Amino acid sequence: MNFASLAFLVFLPTVWAIYWLLPRRSWQNVLLLSASYFFYGWWDYRFCVLMLASSLIDYAVALRIAGCELPGVRRRWLTVSVVSNLGLLGVFKYYNFFIENFTLLAESLGWQINAGTLRIILPVGISFYTFQTLSYTIDAYRRQLTPTRNLIDYLTFVSFFPQLVAGPIERAVNLLPQFQKARRVHVEYLSVGLSRILWGLFKKIAIADTVAGTVNAAFADPAADGARLALAAVLFAFQIYCDFSGYSDVAIGTAQLFGVKLMRNFAYPYFAQSPREFWQRWHISLSTWFRDYVYIPLGGNRVGAVRRKANLVVTFLVSGLWHGAAWP
């Protein structure tokens, strides 16, 4: 289900109205969980099966880690989580890429390859919820959180529909406790949330979608001159920012309607005065995820200059792999 769709326009107020009529937190979480899986299954019900399987693996692994004091055993359980999550990402993001390129290489060598290979559809939001559950098990391993035994609360944290398909990538230490306590409707939350949703939809529909036609036509035209391409490049900067940050604004605003606070994901990145500051302002939830779970564990900036640069290269390489595979 798309935020900028008629279906979501009906879905959101319906879920919101029922949600605040429910007298107990536990019932509200059951509703949010059901609504989130309905929202996700709107694209393809099979996606729900995959997300549930991924969630249950990390739920069980985190409990195993928390209940064990043997370092070697705890590392093995963490490895299960890392391999399962990254394995899912690898298969769904890279399978088609490698099959297509292997077929092209074989044909260039004169080999005949059956092109009717299995094609895998990339599940919407898999990059976000796998990183969210992976951080859950890593934080449990680091003793930075105590895993919950309440399966409903945990599954609601993973599948919360406002941020499921486009982020922000939330940490369990920030989001999970909000599902473990009572929530009350506040007029201020409603007004701020609705304003954030409308602003996000404006950026997405009125700006990003409007300039997309001009940008795509210019980049697809072999005869486009330099001035046209330069204009398209500038417009593309607005398109990608308004598209992504617009979705983040809708997600943050929608969560506020339910009394839930999500982290800020964009902080005026084009006003940054250096590349470093830009990445601190752009897709904040992802950049801080790589900082905390890749860059710092590698040594961060606490090592020598050469090692520090190598850590940066590895971090950006992993970030690039997370975004997917394609030839320029």
Side-chain angles (χ1 to χ4, degrees):
M1 192 181 300
N2 193 298
F3 286 154
S5 67
L6 180 60
F8 187 74
L9 185 62
V10 175
F11 169 83
L12 178 58
T14 302
V15 175
W16 179 85
I18 299 173
Y19 176 85
W20 288 116
L21 287 174
L22 295 175
R24 296 182 181 179
R25 173 197 66 83
S26 57
W27 295 358
Q28 290 177 331
N29 286 353
V30 170
L31 175 67
L32 284 180
L33 177 60
S34 303
S36 296
Y37 270 80
F38 177 82
F39 173 88
Y40 194 50
W42 189 266
W43 280 284
D44 192 320
Y45 71 91
R46 293 170 295 182
F47 293 171
C48 294
V49 177
L50 183 67
M51 180 171 66
L52 179 60
S54 173
S55 301
L56 291 177
I57 289 173
D58 286 323
Y59 170 78
V61 166
L63 289 176
R64 289 285 188 175
I65 291 174
C68 180
E69 297 297 332
L70 300 175
V73 176
R74 298 177 75 247
R75 280 195 297 270
R76 284 196 289 271
W77 279 113
L78 179 62
T79 301
V80 171
S81 174
V82 172
V83 171
S84 62
N85 282 289
L86 298 186
L88 282 176
L89 281 180
V91 169
F92 284 97
K93 277 186 172 288
Y94 284 90
Y95 179 87
N96 291 333
F97 174 78
F98 284 120
I99 288 295
E100 291 169 1
N101 282 275
F102 177 75
T103 301
L104 291 174
L105 176 62
E107 290 176 351
S108 69
L109 297 174
W111 301 342
Q112 293 299 317
I113 300 293
N114 181 11
T117 55
L118 172 67
R119 294 192 61 83
I120 294 182
I121 300 174
L122 179 65
V124 178
I126 187 173
S127 300
F128 295 94
Y129 71 72
T130 50
F131 267 33
Q132 196 153 298
T133 60
L134 182 57
S135 68
Y136 177 77
T137 55
I138 294 175
D139 286 348
Y141 176 80
R142 294 174 173 176
R143 305 293 194 192
Q144 294 177 348
L145 69 82
T146 301
T148 179
R149 291 188 175 275
N150 188 314
L151 184 58
I152 298 298
D153 290 355
Y154 167 78
L155 292 177
T156 305
F157 148 70
V158 176
S159 65
F160 188 45
F161 74 87
Q163 47 88 226
L164 175 59
V165 299
I169 302 173
E170 283 289 344
R171 313 286 179 86
V173 292
N174 298 324
L175 185 55
L176 183 56
Q178 298 187 62
F179 295 123
Q180 295 174 319
K181 63 183 180 181
R183 297 174 292 277
R184 298 287 183 268
V185 61
H186 297 287
V187 175
E188 181 182 356
Y189 274 24
L190 297 181
S191 61
V192 172
L194 286 173
S195 298
R196 195 74 178 259
I197 292 172
L198 292 175
W199 175 236
L201 290 175
F202 174 80
K203 289 197 288 185
K204 165 62 180 170
I205 299 172
I207 301 178
D209 291 351
T210 299
V211 304
T214 302
V215 171
N216 294 338
F219 288 154
D221 185 1
D225 57 24
R228 185 183 176 191
L229 291 175
L231 175 61
V234 173
L235 291 177
F236 178 71
F238 285 96
Q239 177 193 347
I240 191 172
Y241 169 73
C242 290
D243 188 277
F244 204 171
S245 69
Y247 268 115
S248 291
D249 284 335
V250 174
I252 294 169
T254 301
Q256 284 183 298
L257 298 183
F258 295 91
V260 176
K261 185 177 181 180
L262 301 180
M263 70 176 294
R264 187 180 190 182
N265 212 20
F266 290 86
Y268 305 107
Y270 291 149
F271 288 92
Q273 298 182 18
S274 67
R276 178 181 179 181
E277 185 182 355
F278 176 85
W279 289 114
Q280 291 173 339
R281 293 166 173 255
W282 179 276
H283 201 348
I284 299 170
S285 64
L286 180 64
S287 59
T288 54
W289 197 100
F290 282 114
R291 180 198 66 196
D292 294 341
Y293 297 107
V294 179
Y295 180 69
I296 291 178
L298 288 174
N301 57 7
R302 304 185 305 274
V303 293
V306 175
R307 177 72 180 277
R308 183 169 64 251
K309 292 177 181 178
N311 292 342
L312 285 172
V313 170
V314 171
T315 302
F316 275 94
L317 176 61
V318 174
S319 174
L321 292 173
W322 179 84
H323 283 87
W327 295 114

